[in-house]
Amino acid sequence: MQSRDVISWTVMITGYGKHGLGKKAVSVFKQMLRYNIEPDDVCYLAVLSACSHSGLIKEGEELFSNLLETPGIKPRVEHYACVVDLLGRAGRLKEGKHLIDTMPVKPNVGIWQTLLSGCRLHGDIELGKEVSEILLRIDGNNPANYVMVSNLYGQAGYWQEHGKAREAGKTRGLKKEAGMSWVEIEREVYFFRSGEDSHPLTPRIQEALREVERRMREELGYVYGLKQEMHDIDDESKEENLRAHSEKLAIGLALASGVEPGRKDDKSV
């Protein structure tokens, strides 16, 4: 390009960030500064998001400090949310809560959801309960919030509280729309929802997924994170439920159909 402005640099930073290349995104940001291109609020958001997705805590904190000291740019709640996400991933949940409480902008639903995700990740039920109450108070008609709260308790084994959160959502008549995944094979698109077993190749799909699991255990030492399965049932049943996620069913069909990864007719979302 003959002319590179902050927009073109931001596009590059965003691309690297979305593909998990946080260090490369930070490197491009610093390269932009060496070319005397001044970042704007969108550019800072892109690089902070890249740090968040890649767990670059030190780099993210330094960039956020630079943002606060940059004249002419007023940090938005989205910038603070990136830092809360960084702190949450690192287990520094109280710092994340303090940042929300002291930031000069009004917290939105998203930033509380971000902190709640961190509480779930690290099993901080005490803070998670406090955040849950705030979240449901300001956005009590969003079914996703009740799912997040119930998952917080379910992952920690608090099944009574888990059930109460789900029941509270049902009492309000709220229902989270089920996710869907699809895969294109030989120019035909196949759709799956979680738990679906209506496809004629279901036995072969399950067989293919079990084979992948076996190889992952034997060759990589991988074991299921069964706490992610939010039901008070035995481990074998939890594995069956995890195997029924829509994304896995779509991948299983591709494997059962003999589609090689990277082929043009292999597309899944």
Side-chain angles (χ1 to χ4, degrees), residues 33-50:
L33 297 180
R34 289 195 293 271
Y35 277 93
N36 295 318
I37 303 294
E38 294 294 330
D40 58 13
D41 62 327
V42 177
C43 187
Y44 265 113
L45 184 59
V47 72
L48 285 171
S49 178

Side-chain angles (χ1 to χ4, degrees), residues 52-55 57 84-93 118 121-122:
S52 173
H53 291 157
S54 297
I57 300 169
V84 170
D85 186 43
L86 268 174
L87 295 172
R89 291 171 187 261
R92 294 160 58 183
L93 300 167
L121 178 64
H122 295 282

Side-chain angles (χ1 to χ4, degrees), residues 6 11 21 23 33 53-54 62 65 68 88 107-108 146 148 195 202 205 231-232 234 238-239 241 243 248 251 261:
V6 67
V11 170
L21 301 173
K23 289 186 177 181
L33 297 180
H53 291 157
S54 297
E62 290 178 353
S65 294
L68 295 177
N108 61 8
Y146 291 90
M148 292 185 70
T202 292
I205 291 172
H231 295 88
D232 188 13
D234 60 77
K238 287 184 178 182
E239 287 192 10
N241 285 352
R243 198 177 295 127
K248 291 187 177 181
I251 293 171

Side-chain angles (χ1 to χ4, degrees), residues 5-232:
D5 57 13
V6 67
I7 297 176
S8 57
W9 285 101
T10 300
V11 170
M12 290 297 298
I13 293 168
T14 300
Y16 283 122
K18 287 186 177 296
H19 287 83
L21 301 173
K23 289 186 177 181
K24 184 64 177 178
V26 173
S27 176
V28 171
F29 181 85
K30 292 180 178 179
Q31 184 181 359
M32 179 190 72
L33 297 180
R34 289 195 293 271
Y35 277 93
N36 295 318
I37 303 294
E38 294 294 330
D40 58 13
D41 62 327
V42 177
C43 187
Y44 265 113
L45 184 59
V47 72
L48 285 171
S49 178
C51 290
S52 173
H53 291 157
S54 297
L56 302 178
I57 300 169
K58 180 181 178 181
E59 293 87 341
E61 289 182 320
E62 290 178 353
L63 288 165
F64 186 66
S65 294
N66 293 341
L67 169 61
L68 295 177
E69 297 172 359
T70 301
I73 300 180
K74 188 176 181 180
R76 307 197 310 265
V77 66
E78 291 83 4
H79 296 100
Y80 285 95
C82 286
V83 180
V84 170
D85 186 43
L86 268 174
L87 295 172
R89 291 171 187 261
R92 294 160 58 183
L93 300 167
K94 291 184 179 179
E95 292 180 56
K97 175 63 162 54
H98 178 72
L99 180 62
I100 295 175
D101 290 338
T102 58
M103 65 185 189
V105 293
K106 183 179 179 180
N108 61 8
V109 171
I111 200 169
W112 288 117
Q113 290 175 332
T114 298
L115 183 58
L116 184 59
S117 294
C119 292
R120 172 190 167 186
L121 178 64
H122 295 282
D124 191 331
I125 298 299
E126 182 179 354
L127 180 58
K129 181 179 180 181
E130 180 182 351
V131 175
S132 297
E133 292 173 351
I134 296 172
L135 187 57
L136 295 181
R137 185 171 65 248
I138 64 176
D139 191 31
N141 290 321
N142 185 346
N145 292 331
Y146 291 90
V147 173
M148 292 185 70
V149 173
S150 66
N151 287 347
L152 166 76
Y153 290 122
Q155 183 164 326
Y158 287 70
W159 298 113
Q160 185 175 358
E161 290 81 359
H162 167 81
K164 287 181 179 179
R166 284 191 172 274
E167 189 60 34
K170 291 180 181 179
T171 301
R172 286 175 170 260
L174 304 176
K175 184 177 181 181
K176 186 175 182 292
E177 185 176 347
M180 177 183 290
S181 300
W182 61 89
V183 60
E184 181 180 328
I185 301 174
E186 301 295 341
R187 301 185 181 279
E188 186 170 355
V189 179
Y190 300 88
F191 295 88
F192 291 92
R193 293 187 184 276
S194 293
E196 186 170 331
D197 59 1
S198 60
H199 195 280
L201 291 181
T202 292
R204 289 176 58 185
I205 291 172
Q206 293 298 322
E207 182 181 351
L209 292 175
R210 289 191 185 93
E211 175 62 15
V212 171
E213 293 167 8
R214 182 191 65 79
R215 293 187 60 182
M216 290 173 65
R217 282 194 297 266
E218 294 180 359
E219 299 175 18
L220 302 175
Y222 174 82
V223 293
Y224 265 126
L226 296 179
K227 285 187 177 180
Q228 305 297 326
E229 175 52 34
M230 302 302 167
H231 295 88
D232 188 13

Side-chain angles (χ1 to χ4, degrees), residues 240-255:
E240 291 291 336
N241 285 352
L242 289 169
R243 198 177 295 127
H245 285 186
S246 61
E247 298 94 334
K248 291 187 177 181
L249 294 175
I251 293 171
L253 177 60
L255 294 172

